[in-house]
Amino acid sequence: MASVEPEDGDNLSLRLVTAVGLTEPERAAGIALLAALEPDEYAAQFVYRFNDNQDASFLLHVIAPQAERFLSSKINLQPLLSVVEQGLENHALKSKNRRTKVFNPARLLEQVELPGFICASRAMSQVIEQIHKIRSSDVTVLITGESGTGKELVARAVHATSSRRYNMFLPFNCSAAPRDMIESQLFGFRKGAFTGAVENSEGIIRGAERGTLLLDEIGDLPLELQPKLLRFLQEGEIHPIGESQPRRVDVRVIAATNVDLERAVAAGKFREDLFHRFNVIRIYVPPLRQRREEIPALINYYLNQYQQDSAKAEIKLAEETVDLMVVYDWPGNVRQLCNEMRRIVAYTESGSIVTPDSLSPEILRAGGVVAQIPAPTQKRASEPALSLATTEDTTLAEAVEELERRMIQEALRRSSGNIARAAKALGLSRKGLYLKMDRLDFN
C-alpha cells in the first residue's frame, strides 16, 4: 500500500508520504505509475483519491489487490481508507505551520430577495417557501418559535410580499402593555369613556387600516379580552370603548408567540376558538442551533453593521473564533448572537483580528465541554487499556466506528472535555474532531 500527495493541486509532480511493504525500486515504480495515470483510470488500478479535511489532497494505491486476503472474503475498503485518512490528518497537522487563519466572509451565500433575510439552511428555505406560497392571500398567519428566532422578521417578510406591502405594518406586543390598558390600546376609545380619556383614540387596529397588524406574544393576551379579539377576526369590525356602534376595519392579522398554544388551550388559558382562528397558516421558525449553516453569514452581517455604527473598519474574526460560535447552541438564538457581535465590535479596535479569548465565557465553556464529561482521574496500574469487543456479526466498518467513538471519549475524558486538547491528542484539527463527533452522533 502506498500513499502519495500531489504537491501543487493537479500537478503531476507527486511526493511520497508513506509506503508499507515496498522496496525502494517498488516505491519509485509506484510513483511513476501514479504520475502516468489519468483520473478516470484510478478505479481500474485500485487508486483512491481523498483529502485530509484540511488543505492537502492524497492518492492511495492498494498494491496486489488480487491477494488471497481480498479474494477469500468480502472486505470493505472504506473503513481502511478512514483509518488511513486519520493518519494523514495527523501527518498534515504536525507538518503544518500553525497560525491564526482569518475567517473569509466571501465564501458565504448572499442574502435572498426577502428584506433582512440571510438564508443558508434548508430549515429557513422552507420558511421562505411558505411565505411565497401565501403572498397573494390575506389569510391569518400564526408564527411560532423560541424567543429571539426572528418571528417579527418573518412577519415583516409576509407583509413585504403581500398586496398590502405599500401600507402600514404595525407591531403590537401583547405582553408589554399593562393588562388594564390593552383593550383601549387595541380597539381605541371615545373621549370621556373612562377616567383619563381626554381625547379620542383610534387604537392600534385602526392605525393599521389596509395594512398588516402583528400581534406579538399573543399567548399572553388576557383571557377576558380574547372574545372581543375573536369577533374582530371573524367579522372584521371593532367596538371602541365608549362608542355605541361598531366600526368595520380592513386589517390583515399576523400573530406570533413562543408559547405552546395547544397546551395553553388545554390548561384553559387560551380560548380554543380563538386558537383555531389564528391557526390557519402556521409558520414555525426553527432555533439557531437547528440552522447552524447561517451562523457565519449572520456573524458577517452584524459585524459589518456594528462596524459602521461604531465608525470602525477592518475587524476580522479568526477561523477558530467562528468555529466556536458555530458549535455553540445559542439559547437566546439570533438575538443573543446579535448582542455578542455588538459586544465584540465595542471591545475591538479597527484592523484587529478577534481570537477565541474575546468571546463570552459561556461560549468558551460550551466549546470546551461536551455532554458533562467527568474530570480526569489518575490512571491506576490495574486500569485496563482501551479495548474493543467484537462478535461474529460485527462488520469491520462497525468495529472501526466503535473504536473511533471510544478513542474520542477517552481523549475527551483525559482533557476534561477540552476540545482543543482532545483534538491535539488525537492528531486532528478542532474542526476535524467536531466533524467526526457529529458523524458519530455525540450529544
Side-chain angles (χ1 to χ4, degrees):
M1 180 176 64
S3 173
V4 296
E5 176 187 9
E7 292 181 336
D8 299 305
D10 294 329
N11 194 307
L12 293 181
S13 176
L14 304 174
R15 179 169 65 86
L16 182 67
V17 174
T18 184
V20 177
L22 298 181
T23 63
E24 287 298 332
E26 288 173 333
R27 293 184 183 188
I31 292 177
L33 171 65
L34 292 172
L37 288 177
E38 295 294 333
D40 57 4
E41 299 174 321
Y42 286 166
Q45 296 295 327
F46 297 92
V47 176
Y48 305 88
R49 185 166 190 165
F50 55 95
N51 60 54
D52 65 351
N53 287 334
Q54 296 185 57
D55 299 323
S57 180
F58 297 89
L59 295 178
L60 172 68
H61 185 198
V62 178
I63 307 298
Q66 303 298 321
E68 179 63 24
R69 63 183 181 275
F70 292 103
L71 298 177
S72 61
S73 61
K74 296 179 180 179
I75 295 180
N76 183 2
L77 288 178
Q78 191 56 47
L80 174 62
L81 296 179
S82 298
V83 174
V84 173
E85 184 178 353
Q86 272 196 349
L88 292 175
E89 285 181 0
N90 189 13
H91 169 83
L93 190 64
K94 289 180 178 178
S95 62
K96 187 176 182 180
N97 291 327
R98 300 295 292 169
R99 68 181 189 278
T100 298
K101 297 183 68 176
V102 176
F103 166 62
N104 180 13
R107 299 192 301 263
L108 303 175
L109 296 179
E110 295 182 354
Q111 287 182 248
V112 297
E113 65 272 18
L114 292 178
F117 262 89
I118 295 175
C119 179
S121 69
R122 178 58 187 160
M124 287 306 293
S125 295
Q126 291 174 344
V127 171
I128 291 176
E129 287 174 11
Q130 286 183 276
I131 293 172
H132 278 293
K133 285 178 180 178
I134 61 174
R135 64 185 181 276
S136 60
S137 172
D138 269 353
V139 66
T140 302
V141 178
L142 176 63
I143 303 173
T144 61
E146 295 179 8
S147 179
T149 51
K151 294 187 291 296
E152 182 174 334
L153 187 63
V154 172
R156 289 182 180 276
V158 172
H159 171 75
T161 57
S162 73
S163 59
R164 298 174 180 264
R165 58 185 174 275
Y166 299 113
N167 298 317
M168 175 72 71
F169 175 85
L170 191 57
F172 177 78
N173 192 316
C174 298
S175 65
R179 292 178 64 91
D180 57 351
M181 294 182 62
I182 292 181
E183 181 178 359
S184 61
Q185 289 187 353
L186 277 176
F187 298 98
F189 54 85
R190 188 181 182 90
K191 180 180 178 180
F194 53 85
T195 302
V198 296
E199 59 183 12
N200 293 335
S201 171
E202 66 175 8
I204 297 292
I205 295 176
R206 275 189 288 177
E209 181 73 28
R210 293 186 298 278
T212 302
L213 171 66
L214 169 62
L215 295 176
D216 200 5
E217 305 299 347
I218 191 65
D220 294 331
L221 189 71
L223 191 61
E224 61 272 15
L225 187 59
Q226 293 178 21
K228 196 167 185 177
L229 183 61
L230 178 63
R231 178 174 177 81
F232 157 58
L233 294 173
Q234 290 178 337
E235 307 298 334
E237 62 182 28
I238 61 173
H239 201 146
I241 300 173
E243 294 194 4
S244 58
Q245 297 295 325
R247 296 194 179 192
R248 294 199 63 81
V249 289
D250 175 20
V251 175
R252 197 246 184 104
V253 176
I254 300 175
T257 182
N258 59 7
V259 173
D260 186 339
L261 289 184
E262 287 95 335
R263 185 173 296 178
V265 169
K269 297 180 180 179
F270 200 86
R271 288 179 62 104
E272 184 175 6
D273 49 3
L274 181 59
F275 166 70
H276 290 303
R277 191 63 185 81
F278 277 126
N279 194 36
V280 180
I281 298 291
R282 184 186 298 204
I283 298 177
Y284 171 68
V285 186
L288 193 55
R289 62 183 175 276
Q290 293 180 9
R291 45 189 172 111
R292 297 182 191 273
E293 308 96 310
E294 293 172 2
I295 292 177
L298 290 167
I299 290 171
N300 185 55
Y301 174 81
Y302 289 119
L303 177 63
N304 291 334
Q305 176 179 324
Y306 295 135
Q307 282 189 102
Q308 292 178 4
D309 294 346
S310 305
K312 295 181 179 181
E314 297 300 319
I315 296 177
K316 300 182 183 299
L317 272 67
E319 284 193 350
E320 289 184 348
T321 305
V322 176
D323 288 346
L324 285 173
M325 296 178 77
V326 168
V327 300
Y328 181 56
D329 274 348
W330 298 104
N333 293 294
V334 180
R335 184 182 295 119
Q336 183 186 4
L337 186 145
C338 169
N339 292 335
E340 179 71 12
M341 292 308 302
R342 189 194 300 269
R343 188 191 63 79
I344 286 174
V345 172
Y347 279 125
T348 306
E349 299 296 330
S350 295
S352 302
I353 296 178
V354 180
T355 54
D357 56 3
S358 299
L359 294 173
S360 295
E362 59 268 22
I363 300 178
L364 293 175
R365 286 196 298 269
V369 180
V370 179
Q372 297 181 348
I373 297 170
T377 56
Q378 186 175 359
K379 186 174 181 179
R380 301 183 300 271
S382 60
E383 184 176 280
L386 185 66
S387 61
L388 181 65
T390 60
T391 66
E392 292 182 358
D393 296 330
T394 303
T395 65
L396 182 58
E398 292 170 342
V400 171
E401 184 174 289
E402 182 61 22
L403 181 60
E404 282 185 325
R405 184 190 307 277
R406 294 194 182 186
M407 289 180 67
I408 292 174
Q409 288 174 339
E410 178 66 13
L412 290 169
R413 186 188 69 81
R414 291 179 179 275
S415 63
S416 298
N418 185 286
I419 290 292
R421 291 203 299 269
K424 184 176 181 180
L426 291 168
L428 301 174
S429 66
R430 177 162 29 201
K431 185 180 294 185
L433 179 54
Y434 277 127
L435 290 172
K436 288 186 181 295
M437 292 172 65
D438 183 62
R439 177 171 59 84
L440 295 171
D441 293 328
F442 272 70
N443 294 319

